[in-house]
Amino acid sequence: MIFHGKLLHFLCIYYSAALLSVKSFKSCKILGVFPFQSKSHNIMFEQLMKGLALRGHKVDVITHFELRNPPSNYRTIINFSEIKHNLLNLTNNLPIDKILKHDMPYYLAILPGNEICRLLSNEKMQQFIKNPPNKYDLIITEAFAANCYFGLGFVLKAPVITVSTMMEFPWTFNSIRNPDSTAFIANVFFGSSTIETFFDRLRNTMTVHLGRNRFYGMADKTQTELMRKYLSPDIPNIREVEKNVALMFTNCHYTFFGVRPLSPAIISIAGLHVEQNTDELSSELKKWMDDSVHGVIYFTFGSMLLIESLPKKVILKFYAAFSKISPVRVLMKVANENMLPPGLPENVLTFAWIPQIPILKHNNTKVFMTHGGLMGSQEALFYSVPLIGFPQSVDQFINVDVLVRKSMAIQMDHETMTTEHLIDSLNLILSDATYKNAAVRESRIFRDRPMRAMETAIFWVEYIIRNGPNSLKSPAIDLHWWQVELLDVYAFLIISFIIILYIFISLITRIILVMQTA
């Protein structure tokens, strides 16, 4: 009893101190700048900034997507949605096979990189830069391709935290100088989640270095010029500006992509957008889901590729497969139903917009048919829903491959699939408990953490504000890449060995000659 009394007393003191520390932390002014027009990326930014506002910080946001019903201390100070700069549904207007799959560094440098940097010239942005409404304690922006926005830290004299919403690109970690670990960590362009052979390691390493060098070759000069033109003529070049990043939040987690060495300045907040989601189903959709006692297959390719824009022959294959699995129902996200060919099966319901997380959370959802974006993959993982993945580009191939290797997904290609193959895959997941059991197991592991993702994010934001932008800086930031990789050390050792070997052989040769002449 005495022990329990002391333990209770200790816990009371501990939690009282914790509450006092929460209340005693001063309210800070935090700026969020998210210029890339992607709904899926914005989901994570929105939840992060909302969480910081609910914590008590004063949050200003520059975005394309204004938050509905924000907290009183959350303001959207610039809304880019008024600007004609549409980057949605990119895959309908670009040669995806040539650009997205085979020339991604070019695509990212020119479109979401260099072009987004030109938004700095916007009149409202210029007014903000020249006359900011606050003295900010911290700036949060995206780690993607428009690194010019890191320069706001130089102009506003505030630490910069970056956020990567997807698997990191070869250049993303460079601002933190995290090791690439290409011997066993597949990069986003590799296509598979595992490195198994010498040639895998060779291709993975070459892809990382070539991708990084091509991106910098196309982005460095342009983004530096745009920063000096629209931010400050005195700003350093883009490579120096990148070194001022104090911390990076990543949406990747070791339970998903595997263990890798990470700098303390890289913090995973994977799943944050799922934990914080408060979306609800409409009464109509909720009733339909509740009545779907034989199960629901949820089908969407996200915001970047519209299902209705697929070739007619592909859509008709989906129709044929869906009609064969009735009475199981299918919920399909279709932005423009008029673009669909006739013949939609009776067990299929379409909506232009669907709150995805409540659907995946619903007990009647049995399968998620998806393009394999990281956000949706995490949502399915969080709520233990098996998947059929149709990856289109970039990280989607690795995301789906990871889930296939975890035995909770099947990978398919919508262009080459047959109706019979799709029917067999759907029936396999619906009838074989292996997929659901694997999803339940992987969901438990993904959620098993010492702190929730939002609590982790808030702690490290406040840590940087308390301790300064250099508190987690790696010494590698001041080294050349070849010094970090120890190429100079290995070269010295090899040359030294060759010299010593040469001297040794020369001495032996001389000794032999002397002995022969003696």
Side-chain angles (χ1 to χ4, degrees):
M1 291 296 291
I2 295 175
F3 171 78
H4 288 297
K6 289 183 177 180
L7 178 61
L8 181 61
H9 179 67
F10 170 79
L11 290 175
C12 288
I13 293 174
Y14 176 83
Y15 284 111
S16 297
L19 289 172
L20 286 172
S21 67
V22 169
K23 293 179 179 179
S24 64
F25 189 83
K26 69 184 179 93
S27 174
C28 297
K29 297 180 177 67
I30 300 174
L31 172 67
V33 184
F34 310 112
F36 181 40
Q37 188 183 6
S38 168
K39 290 182 179 178
S40 59
H41 289 219
N42 185 70
I43 291 171
M44 186 173 181
F45 305 142
E46 190 175 86
Q47 294 297 342
L48 173 60
M49 302 310 291
K50 181 180 177 182
L52 290 169
L54 292 173
R55 163 73 161 153
H57 299 296
K58 295 179 180 178
V59 171
D60 288 350
V61 177
I62 298 173
T63 180
H64 288 273
F65 307 95
E66 192 161 351
L67 179 65
R68 293 175 296 175
N69 303 316
S72 59
N73 50 333
Y74 181 115
R75 296 188 306 163
T76 299
I77 57 175
I78 298 178
N79 187 345
F80 279 141
S81 64
E82 303 167 358
I83 301 171
K84 293 181 179 180
H85 192 84
N86 186 19
L87 296 178
L88 297 177
N89 304 321
L90 291 172
T91 52
N92 297 327
N93 303 309
L94 294 172
I96 185 171
D97 288 336
K98 293 182 180 179
I99 295 180
L100 293 186
K101 291 181 181 178
H102 303 302
D103 209 2
M104 182 56 71
Y106 174 84
Y107 164 77
L108 288 172
I110 299 303
L111 194 52
N114 295 353
E115 288 304 309
I116 288 178
C117 287
R118 299 186 195 280
L119 289 178
L120 290 170
S121 66
N122 174 259
E123 182 180 351
K124 290 183 178 180
M125 275 298 295
Q126 284 298 295
Q127 291 175 357
F128 168 80
I129 292 166
K130 293 172 183 176
N131 187 26
N134 283 306
K135 174 69 174 71
Y136 293 105
D137 298 292
L138 183 77
I139 299 169
I140 300 178
T141 191
E142 184 170 13
F144 190 51
N147 296 356
C148 55
Y149 287 88
F150 301 175
L152 287 169
F154 178 88
V155 175
L156 301 179
K157 296 179 173 53
V160 174
I161 289 179
T162 61
V163 185
S164 175
T165 63
M166 57 190 292
M167 190 177 184
E168 298 79 12
F169 293 108
W171 54 86
T172 309
F173 275 160
N174 215 38
S175 59
I176 303 294
R177 287 295 193 273
N178 197 73
D180 293 317
S181 306
T182 56
F184 58 96
I185 296 296
N187 82 90
V188 68
F189 301 139
F190 186 70
S192 172
S193 61
T194 57
I195 308 294
E196 296 176 335
T197 68
F198 165 79
F199 291 103
D200 285 345
R201 288 186 284 117
L202 176 62
R203 183 164 66 90
N204 190 46
T205 301
M206 294 299 293
T207 304
V208 166
H209 288 289
L210 289 175
R212 180 187 295 137
N213 290 337
R214 284 206 67 196
F215 174 80
Y216 280 132
M218 295 170 184
D220 278 15
K221 182 179 178 182
T222 300
Q223 295 196 17
T224 297
E225 290 175 351
L226 291 171
M227 285 194 307
R228 289 174 177 168
K229 183 175 182 179
Y230 297 117
L231 289 178
S232 168
D234 301 322
I235 202 167
N237 66 58
I238 189 72
R239 302 300 296 278
E240 291 299 314
V241 166
E242 290 171 354
K243 294 179 181 179
N244 292 326
V245 172
L247 181 78
M248 176 180 167
F249 287 132
T250 175
N251 197 28
C252 297
H253 197 262
Y254 64 88
T255 60
F256 192 96
F257 289 110
V259 174
R260 68 172 299 170
L262 289 177
S263 160
I266 297 176
I267 305 297
S268 173
I269 53 173
L272 174 142
H273 75 287
V274 190
E275 291 179 354
Q276 301 301 118
N277 184 269
T278 56
D279 291 344
E280 295 181 355
L281 299 177
S282 66
S283 56
E284 175 191 3
L285 186 52
K286 185 177 185 307
K287 184 178 186 306
W288 187 86
M289 290 293 297
D290 291 343
D291 292 343
S292 302
V293 292
H294 297 285
V296 172
I297 295 166
Y298 174 48
F299 182 25
T300 176
F301 280 164
S303 59
M304 298 293 280
L305 177 60
L306 304 178
I307 293 173
E308 62 268 31
S309 69
L310 296 174
K312 180 180 178 181
K313 64 178 182 179
V314 173
I315 297 177
L316 292 179
K317 290 179 185 179
F318 284 120
Y319 283 6
F322 293 157
S323 64
K324 291 293 185 181
I325 61 169
S326 181
V328 176
R329 290 176 165 182
V330 179
L331 178 63
M332 191 160 67
K333 180 176 177 283
V334 177
N336 186 353
E337 190 176 352
N338 295 326
M339 291 178 60
L340 288 174
L344 188 71
E346 293 183 359
N347 62 326
V348 178
L349 178 67
T350 67
F351 276 92
W353 180 85
I354 298 172
Q356 183 159 289
I357 293 177
I359 291 295
L360 293 172
K361 187 178 180 179
H362 199 283
N363 289 333
N364 286 341
T365 302
K366 305 302 180 184
V367 184
F368 181 28
M369 293 175 57
T370 173
H371 61 304
L374 185 55
M375 294 293 191
S377 298
Q378 287 178 347
E379 291 159 10
L381 178 62
F382 199 90
Y383 289 113
S384 310
V385 181
L387 303 92
I388 295 181
F390 301 85
Q392 307 296 315
S393 61
V394 206
D395 65 325
Q396 296 162 13
F397 292 95
I398 288 187
N399 297 340
V400 173
D401 186 60
V402 166
L403 296 172
V404 169
R405 291 175 186 272
K406 292 179 181 295
S407 301
M408 60 173 287
I410 295 173
Q411 181 170 336
M412 299 183 68
D413 184 339
H414 71 272
E415 294 179 352
T416 60
M417 74 175 185
T418 63
T419 300
E420 292 73 22
H421 186 198
L422 180 56
I423 293 171
D424 290 343
S425 298
L426 288 169
N427 284 329
L428 182 60
I429 291 183
L430 289 168
S431 61
D432 188 345
T434 300
Y435 292 91
K436 180 63 176 180
N437 292 339
V440 170
R441 180 186 68 250
E442 296 299 330
S443 175
R444 177 184 57 78
I445 295 172
F446 183 69
R447 294 188 190 208
D448 192 2
R449 310 180 195 182
M451 294 172 65
R452 292 168 64 90
M454 180 58 76
E455 294 168 350
T456 301
I458 290 173
F459 173 83
W460 286 106
V461 163
E462 295 176 350
Y463 181 95
I464 292 299
I465 294 174
R466 286 194 304 268
N467 299 305
N470 296 322
S471 53
L472 297 174
K473 191 131 320 179
S474 169
I477 204 76
D478 297 318
L479 299 177
H480 297 289
W481 70 269
W482 45 269
Q483 292 174 313
V484 175
E485 300 292 340
L486 295 176
L487 295 186
D488 53 343
V489 173
Y490 294 135
F492 174 80
L493 292 174
I494 291 170
I495 293 171
S496 298
F497 175 77
I498 292 172
I499 291 173
I500 292 170
L501 184 63
Y502 173 78
I503 293 172
F504 177 76
I505 293 173
S506 298
L507 287 173
I508 294 296
T509 303
R510 285 174 178 262
I511 291 171
I512 292 173
L513 288 174
V514 169
M515 293 178 65
Q516 287 177 345
T517 57

